[in-house]
Structures are given as C-alpha cells and as structure tokens.
Amino acid sequence: MFRATLKSLLARKVRLILSGLAVVLGVMFVSGAFVLTDTLGRSFDAIFADAYEGVDVNVAAKPKIDVGETDGMPVVAEPVPAAVLDRVRAVPGVAEATGVVGVDGARLIGSNGKVVASFGPPQLGENWTGESDLVRLREGRAPQADGEIVINRALATAGKVKVGDRVGVLTLQPKQEFTIVGVFGYSGGRDSIGGANEIMFTTPVAQKLMLGAPDTYSNISVTAADGMSDEALRDAVAAAVGADFEVKTGAQLSEDAAAGMKEALSFFNRILLGFAAVALLVGTFLILNTFSIIVAQRTRELALMRAVGASGRQIIGSVVLEAVAVGLVASVLGLGAGIGIGALLAYLFSTFAGGLTLAGIGVPLSAVVGAFAVGLVITVVAALLPALRASRIPPIAAMQDVATPDRPLTKITVAGAIVTAVGGALLALGLTGNAGGSTLATILGGVLFAFIGVALLTPLISRPVVSLLGAIFAWSVPGKLGRLNSGRNPRRTAITAAALMVGIALVTGVTVILDSAKSSIGGLAQDSLKAELVIAGAQSGPRPPSFDPAVLEKAAAIPGVRLVDGEYGDLAMVGGERTWVAASSDVAALRQIFGAEPTAGDIDRLAPDAMLVSSDTATARGLSVGSKVPVQTSRGEARTYTVTGIYASSQLTNPVVLPAEAARDFTIPQPIQGFIQLAPGTRVADVQPQIEALLADSPEVSVADREAFIEQQTGQLDGLLTMIQILLALAIVIAVLGIINTLALSVLERTRELGLLRAIGLRRAQTMRMITVEAVVISVFGALLGVVVGAGLGAAVVEALRDEGITDLVLPWTQMGIFLGLAAIVGVVAAALPAVRAARINVLGAIAHD
C-alpha cells in the first residue's frame, strides 16, 4: 500500500505542486517572522553590548513616569545632581566616575532647512566626555566653546552637513545656532550605534538644553578599580546613593535595553503571524478542495484497492500519507522562502532604521518547528475529511464511472445555520450592550462565528447565485456550458469561492472600519473645531514636533486674529493613574475653539493651582468641583491641584487640562499644537503666510487650514489601510491559486467529457471560453460573498465602536465595485493555463480516457 501510494503521488507531480504551494506561502510568513525577530533581537543584543562596553556600573534617577514604547513620548531622564557624582567618586572600588548627559530630543536642522528625521532611533543630545575605545573623532576637534558641537557621521551624512557649517539645533529650548567643529564615529567603522543621531555639546550647554538645570547629569558612568567586580561595585554604589536611584551593571543595562526593543519587535511579530494565519486559513480551503478532487478522480483506483483487500484504514493511510508528503515538501520550501523573506525584511528594517548593523542571519529552532508543525498540521487536517470519504468507497465503484455524484448538503447546511446563529447572537449581545465588560470581545467572537457560518452555508447559496451570475454569459454555447459547469458541484465551487471570500471580506471589512473612522473624525473636527488655522507637525518618532511658545504671542498680534490657543501635552500620574494631560496657554480661547460646554464650575479661567477635567473623567474617578488631585508630571515634584471646572467630554478634548505653568515640567515644555481663530470677514489666505513666517525657526511644524489639518490627521489611516491591503494580498494570491488548481484538476477529471464535446463540434476557442466563463463566475461569486460579508461584519464593528467616537458608517462602494471587477480579471487570468490545456486535449485519446 505504501509503494502504491508513493507511485500514485509521483505520477501526479503537478497536483503535488499546486496543492503544496498555498502551504509554502503560509509557512513562509510564519518562519519569516521568527527569522526576522531572531536576527533583529541578536542585532540589538550586540548593539547595546557595544554601547555599554566601557560601563561597569551606571547610576540614574528613577523616572517619575513609566513611559512605554508606544506611548508617543520619549522617556524623561530625571536629572542626577552633581553632589551625587561626588558621593559616587568617594565609594571604595571606584576607579573613575563620569557625569553623562544623554537625552532624546536634540534635532539637527539639515542643509535643506528641514529637521533630520528619525523613524524610531533616538535623537540624542549629549555632553562630550572625550574619546574612548568606542568613540573616535574622524574629523575636526572636540567642542570647547558654548556655540560648538560635534555630531556622529550618520547624522552628518543624513543632514548633508560638514565641519565648519553653521547649523540650527532644536532641544528643550527653541532653535539655537551652533558651529560643527567635529564629526565622530565608532569602533568597527560604524557611523552610529543603532541608527541614533547624536549631537554633543560642551557639558554646561548640554545640561542647560537637555536637562534644563545646571550641575546635573542624566546618569553617572562608573569604572571599577582593579580587583573589584561589577556586582560588588554596584551594591556599594547603591548603598551610597540611596533608594531614589537605579544602579545597574553595564550587562544589566544592555539586557534591559535589548529587552525593550525585543518587546516592540514581538508586537510586529504577532502582526506577521496574524497575517500568516489568514494565509494558512485560505490555504486550508485550497488543500481541502485539492484532496476532495483527488479522491473523486481516484474513485475507481481506490475502489480497486478495496476490492483486492485494502481496508478502510489503509485507504485513509494512503490519502494521509500523500498529505504528509505534500506537507513535508511545502514545509521545507516554505522554511527556505521564510529564511529569505526574514533576511530581506531585516535588511529593510536596518536600512529604514538608519543603518542598523545586522547580526548574521540565523534560523532559530522556533522557525523550524513552526514551519514543519504548521505545514504538516494544516495539510493533514485539510486531507482528513477527503480521506474518510475515500475509506467509505465501496468496491462496486470500481465498475462505475470515475466521476462521483455530489452528496446532499443537509448536514453542512444545518451546521452552517447553527454556527451563523451563534455568531448573530453574539453580535446582537455585544451591539446591544448586554455583554458586560466584554463587549468588544463578544462582538469579535460574533464576527468570527458569522464568518465561519457563512463559509459553511456557501454551498447552499452557490448554485442559485452562480446560475444568476452565469446568466450574463448565457448568450453563447460556451457561456451556457461554463455556467452549468460552475454550478454542477456546489461543494467544490463553494470551497474555491470561499478561499477568495476570506481575503476580499477582510480587505472590505477593514476598509469599512477605517473609512468610517476617517469620516467620523473628519466630521467631528469640522463640527467641533472652530479654528481656521492649525499649527502642527507629523510625528515620525517617539517625540511629537513642537514649536517656540513665542509664536503664539506674535500670532495673537496679527490683524484679523481673534483667538489663539497653544496646547502642550504629556503623560502624567493623575491621582495615581497614568493619564494624558494637556496644558493650555488660554483656556478661555480653548473653550471657544473646541466648543467645550461647562457641566460644573468655571472653565473660562484657570489658576496656577487649579485643573479642569472632562465629564467622563470626573464620573470615572468620582471627582467634583473642589476635589483635590495629586499630579506628578515627567519633571519636577508632585503637585496637588483643585478641580475648578468640569466640561462635557468630546473626542477632541483631553481628559485633564492643567494651567500653562505646569508645562514647564512636561517632557516637552513647548506647545505641540496651536489653534488660531480668525475674526469674521478675515481671509485665511491673508493670515496664513504671516503665521508661516513666524514658524521659520520651527521647521518641524507648519500651519494649515482646518480642512488640510483634518486631512493630514486622517491620512495616517490611509497608510495603515495600504499596509493591511498589501499583507492581505497574499491571501488573495493563494485564493487565485485555488481557482487555478480547481480548474486544472477539473479539466483532468473531465477529460473524456471534453473529448466528447470536441468530437461533436466544440472548437478550441469555444472550449477556452467555456473554461474562462467557469473561472470568472467562480471568482465573481467569491468576491461578491467577500464584499457582502466584509461590509456586514465591518458595519457591525463600526456599530460596536460608536461609543469610541466612530459614529459614521461609510461603505466603500467604489472599492467594492473595483473588487468585483478585479475578480472578473482574476478569473480570466486563472483560467489561462487550464483553458489552454483543455483546448489542446487529443480528441480520440480523450474519448478513450478511462
């Protein structure tokens, strides 16, 4: 039986390739994700090991606010007083202790007048502490005067600047001019470490610009004396400086820094694995269809085996063995492709991150195990049902025709109805708000069950829908035959169409959600934002763009300007909870610009020790006018504020508003947005150029009218949608392979039938048109299902997010029409090879085919 299975498998190489290709693509995503994260993880390990190579022990103050990787703010280094440096130097076993300033937030203005952007790596402002084994000057000299800086080679290249150039630098303070007197690099010929842009000042200037206080440091780097271990020195220094400081060895710093980057990478890894799961789901449809057709084509062969003594268990083993062979081949090929994809993505990541030095490409055990586990499991599971059907083939079938009649749809229809009903019930439970605290999870569960239920019901609806779609082509004999062929086997048609449905439904659903979000945000801003001009910039890293507060005062003096409000923002601990807080330069203007309405107290003025809160925040935290709330900002000491006003919550207003004086202790003590309301009759075109002139020294931001600002904010969703569509395109590619596979195997199955049609006068061109009509009908049917299911489930999610501010439901009619049109084109393309094969059938050989 084993030898017979292998011979049968090797005799059908095309079938092996077609059925395994979908698994190859899915496995490629899984193994590629593991290879990527392993490569980047080891790269960051090496980078941070080098960065802390000369550090035996490090002393830093504990941050006041715990800032995460995705919080949109850099971590604030609490200043370490110079007195602590003196205490550290006095600790026995310390050979040398150096006060270091190193803070994210120093941005160089390049030769083109724009800030040199960083898409992830920090932009460090530091003090020059001299050359070392790690850092070497490549050009020029060290900074000696307050107006001098040195920069790393990567920043000099990106900004197209050189030694002797006069450049602008943005820090905690507005733009200041410096002269570049040196360019440095790192051991091993590296231009940067981890793609970071670095600007080094003299120590007093670095303290003033990056820490905001003289005689302070961001950390202290300690070198151990001979014979003193790093761990022993760490414990001694920790005892000397006290509990307000974190004391770690260089190895601990390296591990912590690398762990933070790996945590961010794990999120990216989960995204890739999610799309791999979609690809494998679609691949399962393809493999299930392939093995169903294979079993149908081998009916006589398997029946003969039963007649000569093969048991049902042996028949199952034969089909499963074929699935294992396909899974093994696909896993090996998918692993190889995944290694290549992982290496390519790592290279692109390193280039995008500013020249990250990659460790060697490795293949972790997780990639190998994942590739073979996924490849084998998916293939074998997809082949089990066809294998069970094969085991039930009676020996008498050996004397019947190869083709087998389609089985009743009762069981699968009942199962589909039950699963769909469960999905509908979960959706209803979530949408009516009766799911307790699990509303979103309930809705997503309902979406999943509804998705599966529709897939199970597809065979029931395929025949009438396919017949209706095929009527478009029924004006010719090939069209009629193609329509009948596409509806003759509802199960096969349904499985083939369901593969395409998954990809189209996901793309349509995501498009509905994101377009609805864009419309809701845009509509809310149009209705609530009563400012004709907005000062803002696009955030490309952990630090939002900011501008000189003096711009606000100068803008208010421009003729025709009625109100001006500058908004500062930061993460803070409010009443012991991490909360996004804002500070306003003019709360009375803020109220009018955003149309905020008071629900209690006075929101038109704000004393230095007062705060305003939104109604939602007040309700959630039990606050009222007069409540005392402790607030700890990123810098400075905690302060207690009194709630003097509560305003109606809006998607455009912050939960907490502090007085402008509080912004001095924010991570970024400069406004990040500015809102300008014009007097009636004043033209935007008359005022906007004057505001642009005021922003000449703030190149990170620009001024735009309200419509352009809204488009800029919602445009970020377009980028997200494009990324999702590109990743989901893989699932659609697999679905196209499924159509090609189904048609190709169907042509083999109908060899004799095609020969008879040719014999009674069907020409080659007509044969090709017949196959093409069949493919187009199946493709359009799958796309139509996807569009309907995706729009419906997307609408359900939008309804669930109504309380989150997504109030508009937008159906992308144009894109849905494009999907249907592309499906027809996909059908034509998918039919090309099977149609040519059918047209070239030898008529006499086909008639004699058994």
Side-chain angles (χ1 to χ4, degrees), residues 540-586:
S540 59
R543 180 188 179 92
S546 59
F547 59 95
D548 188 346
V551 170
L552 300 172
E553 297 178 9
K554 295 175 182 178
I558 294 175
V561 172
R562 180 171 178 265
L563 294 172
V564 175
D565 174 58
E567 183 173 303
Y568 306 74
D570 199 10
L571 276 173
M573 297 296 292
V574 179
E577 296 183 29
R578 281 195 345 150
T579 307
W580 181 266
V581 300
S584 171
S585 63
D586 185 346

Side-chain angles (χ1 to χ4, degrees), residues 52-63 66 75 88 94 218-224 229-239 241-260:
Y52 298 110
E53 182 180 2
V55 178
D56 293 332
V57 171
N58 184 79
V59 180
K62 294 180 179 179
D66 183 19
V75 178
V88 171
V94 172
S218 59
N219 59 288
I220 299 171
S221 177
V222 185
T223 303
S229 71
D230 293 351
E231 290 74 17
L233 181 59
R234 174 197 61 196
D235 296 341
V237 170
V241 299
D244 291 336
F245 298 90
E246 293 180 338
V247 183
K248 297 182 179 180
T249 64
Q252 287 177 309
L253 287 176
S254 177
E255 291 174 4
D256 291 347

Side-chain angles (χ1 to χ4, degrees), residues 72 107 114-120 123 170 534-547 668 671-674 695 698-704 708-717:
R107 293 94 70 207
K114 297 181 180 179
V115 170
V116 179
S118 173
F119 298 93
Q123 297 173 294
L170 304 175
V534 179
I535 301 172
Q539 185 170 348
S540 59
R543 180 188 179 92
S546 59
F547 59 95
I668 302 172
I672 56 178
Q673 286 184 327
L695 295 172
S698 301
E700 287 183 301
V701 299
S702 60
V703 60
F709 170 72
I710 294 171
E711 185 177 348
Q712 179 192 57
Q713 299 303 305
T714 58
Q716 299 175 11
L717 296 177

Side-chain angles (χ1 to χ4, degrees), residues 270-456:
R270 287 191 289 269
I271 293 176
L272 289 179
L273 291 177
F275 284 104
V278 174
L280 289 168
L281 174 63
V282 177
T284 301
F285 284 110
L286 172 54
I287 300 167
L288 177 62
N289 212 17
T290 299
F291 278 93
S292 297
I293 297 173
I294 288 172
V295 169
Q297 291 179 351
R298 295 174 60 194
T299 298
R300 181 170 292 186
E301 173 190 332
L302 295 173
L304 283 172
M305 289 183 180
R306 292 294 309 277
V308 297
S311 65
R313 181 176 298 178
Q314 287 177 309
I315 296 297
I316 294 175
S318 173
V319 177
V320 170
L321 179 60
E322 187 167 346
V324 169
V326 171
L328 281 173
V329 172
S331 297
V332 171
L333 295 177
L335 177 59
I339 294 171
I341 288 295
L344 175 62
L345 290 175
Y347 170 76
L348 294 175
F349 184 94
S350 68
T351 303
F352 186 73
L356 172 67
T357 302
L358 288 176
I361 301 299
V363 184
L365 181 62
S366 57
V368 178
V369 172
F372 284 94
V374 167
L376 284 173
V377 169
I378 292 295
T379 310
V380 171
V381 167
L384 277 179
L385 286 178
L388 290 173
R389 290 201 297 269
S391 69
R392 298 177 182 140
I393 295 175
I396 195 66
M399 296 179 289
Q400 297 176 352
D401 195 7
V402 174
T404 56
D406 200 24
R407 292 166 289 111
L409 301 175
T410 305
K411 292 182 180 179
I412 194 171
T413 300
V414 171
I418 293 173
V419 175
T420 304
V422 171
L426 289 174
L427 284 172
L429 193 64
L431 295 176
T432 54
N434 295 319
S438 305
T439 300
L440 187 57
T442 303
I443 291 172
L444 292 178
V447 168
L448 178 62
F449 274 93
F451 207 13
I452 297 172
V454 171
L456 293 174

